[in-house]
Amino acid sequence: MLFAIIAQDQPDGVEHRMAVRPTHLEHLKTLGDKLVFAGPFLDENEKPYGSLMVIEAASLEEAKAMAAADPFAREKVFASYEVRRWNWGINNPDKRGQ
């Protein structure tokens, strides 16, 4: 099952985000194939202010645990985040030609 993690950063938190980012990226590498894709939301000045990650997990509980383990969540880069079940319906590379 796929889950989207939709996160909003702390206000004026770019410096903190950038300080935690190397640890966050190392964490994402440990997810291997469970990480489908990820990236920041950008403001009008091209500065990150949140994140979208799509992960594969066996349950909502597992997905929530994975989100909570992210250094951006643990180190309070995120002001808030939510985990939602998600279906990749359009342009899914695993379903092309079907």
Side-chain angles (χ1 to χ4, degrees):
M1 291 186 281
L2 295 177
F3 296 87
I5 302 167
I6 304 159
Q8 182 73 36
D9 287 3
Q10 298 286 347
D12 301 315
V14 174
E15 282 186 35
H16 183 51
R17 172 186 265 268
M18 298 315 288
V20 177
R21 187 172 184 263
T23 307
H24 164 73
L25 294 177
E26 286 301 315
H27 169 75
L28 293 182
K29 286 180 189 176
T30 70
L31 299 179
D33 291 342
K34 288 186 175 212
L35 177 64
V36 179
F37 60 80
F41 293 113
L42 301 175
D43 68 14
E44 62 279 352
N45 297 311
E46 299 294 308
K47 301 288 186 193
Y49 69 93
S51 296
L52 170 65
M53 294 172 272
V54 173
I55 58 173
E56 188 170 348
S59 66
L60 178 59
E61 293 75 22
E62 180 186 2
K64 286 181 176 181
M66 290 169 68
D70 188 308
F72 276 1
R74 288 194 336 263
E75 298 293 327
K76 306 293 186 214
V77 170
F78 296 151
S80 63
Y81 66 89
E82 59 183 309
V83 180
R84 295 182 181 185
R85 178 81 168 89
W86 186 72
N87 180 47
W88 193 342
I90 307 299
N91 289 335
N92 182 334
D94 292 337
K95 295 182 181 179
R96 289 200 179 161
Q98 293 182 6

